[in-house]
Amino acid sequence: MTRLIKIIFFSVMLFASSIVFSSIVFTIPAVIFSEDWIFSLKDIFPEMKSDRTISYIVNDKIIYSEKELSKILYGLMSSYYSDFDLVFEESTVTVVYKNESPDIDVHYIDLESFLQQKIKEYDNSLTVNSIDLKVLPEKVLSAEVIKIFQSYDKLYLSLNIKDDKNNQKVLTVIANVSKYEEVLVYSKDLTRGTMLNEELTEPATKNVLTINNKPVDVELLRSGSYELTKDVKKGEIVDSTYLKRIPDVKAGDIVTVLVEFEGIKVSTLARAMTNANFGDTLSVRNVESGNIITGKLKEGPILLVSLGGL
């Protein structure tokens, strides 16, 4: 019985040893040269009897990570070998079209030029002042802009990049930009309460991305319908936030009221109850009856009432 157990034990050990030592180990070099534009198994293992195409070489080279190429090779070589292992010399493998010379010409991206071009495509009117590249690797094999977000004079560019070790990362780069446009500025120092007109302003080119102002209505400016609500300095941008619209009709002014009802027009005089501009809805008090009438203020000044009576 003891002898039988020993025979079985040594048989199992011999079988296990044969499995362990029968495994074939293939070494994958860091650089592989191909005589043509087709990357195949024989480019890695010239001694193989059969060959299989892995990929086509574009732009003189292909770069694989160990994980990528390992998955491909195990899938292809399992048709020929039942038991094998792959050992990689480096974490990345570069496949190069030989073309008479074994030198590898790896082209890295000029990130600043690349980003300048992408910003130009995003908005050609922007001027790039600076791009912060500190977050990016020094050597980048490929880059793709996946998103651009703008906040005033800052552009946030999200990039999908592959570095020289074939590692892929998503990183965000910040660019400082300007956008120069012609705006109105004050031509001299002015005090609060000044009635503004076109002669008190002049055009100037400014970076509008650093300005948070409300533009003025140029037609109202020309007609002298604005009044300053604060003191301003020469060269300061004209901001409607600090302008008060001068009313076309002031409280207490007499206006003509024109009422239209079933084809009949009746007019009377009334006194404005509040300040108003043409186009506003205004309530007035009839100077004779004291009744309050509401209508739309038009140039004249005339208050139009389409329905109702006095």
Side-chain angles (χ1 to χ4, degrees):
M1 185 65 178
T2 302
R3 183 181 177 186
L4 180 59
I5 292 173
K6 287 182 179 180
I7 292 172
I8 294 173
F9 174 79
F10 284 113
S11 298
V12 171
M13 290 297 293
L14 183 61
F15 178 75
S17 299
S18 65
I19 293 177
V20 172
F21 292 107
S22 64
S23 178
I24 303 173
V25 177
F26 293 98
T27 300
I28 316 299
V31 179
I32 299 169
F33 297 102
S34 177
E35 299 292 339
D36 53 25
W37 296 100
I38 301 173
F39 174 40
S40 66
L41 286 177
K42 281 202 170 186
D43 290 327
I44 315 173
F45 315 115
E47 69 280 2
M48 289 190 67
K49 295 181 180 180
S50 300
D51 198 8
R52 295 284 294 276
T53 297
I54 298 173
S55 182
Y56 293 94
I57 302 172
V58 180
N59 296 328
D60 296 334
K61 68 179 183 300
I62 311 173
I63 298 176
Y64 290 99
S65 68
E66 179 181 342
K67 183 178 180 181
E68 288 173 334
L69 190 55
S70 176
K71 184 177 180 180
I72 295 170
L73 293 179
Y74 273 111
L76 293 176
M77 296 174 66
S78 60
S79 301
Y80 309 110
Y81 303 94
S82 59
D83 187 21
F84 66 95
D85 286 316
L86 301 176
V87 176
F88 287 79
E89 291 183 350
E90 300 286 347
S91 60
T92 61
V93 176
T94 302
V95 182
V96 182
Y97 170 52
K98 194 171 183 180
N99 193 22
E100 306 297 333
S101 173
D103 296 333
I104 304 174
D105 184 17
V106 179
H107 299 285
Y108 297 110
I109 292 177
D110 183 340
L111 286 172
E112 186 162 4
S113 298
F114 170 77
L115 292 170
Q116 289 268 7
Q117 179 61 33
K118 292 301 177 182
I119 293 172
K120 185 177 181 180
E121 293 172 5
Y122 169 76
D123 188 343
N124 194 37
S125 66
L126 295 178
T127 299
V128 180
N129 303 317
S130 63
I131 305 175
D132 187 356
L133 302 175
K134 292 194 295 290
V135 298
L136 298 179
E138 291 185 6
K139 296 179 180 179
V140 172
L141 292 169
S142 65
E144 177 190 8
V145 176
I146 55 179
K147 184 179 180 181
I148 299 179
F149 171 74
Q150 184 173 356
S151 177
Y152 296 102
D153 60 346
K154 296 290 190 299
L155 273 187
Y156 299 86
L157 300 97
S158 295
L159 303 175
N160 188 356
I161 66 166
K162 182 182 284 189
D163 62 18
D164 58 339
K165 300 298 183 184
N166 216 46
N167 298 316
Q168 285 192 322
K169 302 175 183 177
V170 176
L171 301 170
T172 300
V173 173
I174 302 175
N176 182 275
V177 295
S178 300
K179 187 174 185 177
Y180 292 97
E181 293 181 356
E182 191 175 271
V183 296
L184 287 177
V185 300
Y186 296 107
S187 58
K188 59 179 69 176
D189 294 351
L190 300 171
T191 58
R192 178 179 178 179
T194 301
M195 293 180 61
L196 201 60
N197 57 52
E198 200 170 11
E199 294 180 357
L200 298 177
T201 66
E202 59 187 9
T205 301
K206 299 283 186 179
N207 178 13
V208 296
L209 299 182
T210 60
I211 303 168
N212 187 21
N213 75 310
K214 297 179 181 178
V216 298
D217 186 324
V218 177
E219 293 302 319
L220 291 175
L221 178 67
R222 289 171 179 166
S223 65
S225 298
Y226 284 123
E227 178 184 340
L228 279 169
T229 61
K230 72 161 192 169
D231 295 346
V232 297
K233 296 292 184 181
K234 179 180 179 179
E236 185 177 332
I237 294 173
V238 180
D239 187 345
S240 62
T241 303
Y242 304 107
L243 298 178
K244 181 172 68 175
R245 175 88 179 270
I246 298 172
D248 296 312
V249 171
K250 295 180 180 179
D253 287 352
I254 299 298
V255 300
T256 298
V257 179
L258 183 62
V259 179
E260 296 181 356
F261 179 64
E262 295 183 352
I264 301 173
K265 293 182 180 180
V266 179
S267 65
T268 186
L269 296 178
R271 193 178 302 277
M273 299 179 65
T274 60
N275 295 346
N277 291 103
F278 298 139
D280 293 345
T281 298
L282 174 66
S283 293
V284 297
R285 188 182 296 275
N286 189 299
V287 294
E288 296 181 358
S289 66
N291 292 335
I292 295 176
I293 309 165
T294 300
K296 185 75 70 175
L297 185 64
K298 302 293 183 181
E299 291 187 30
I302 297 174
L303 189 74
L304 294 180
V305 182
S306 59
L307 295 172
L310 300 178

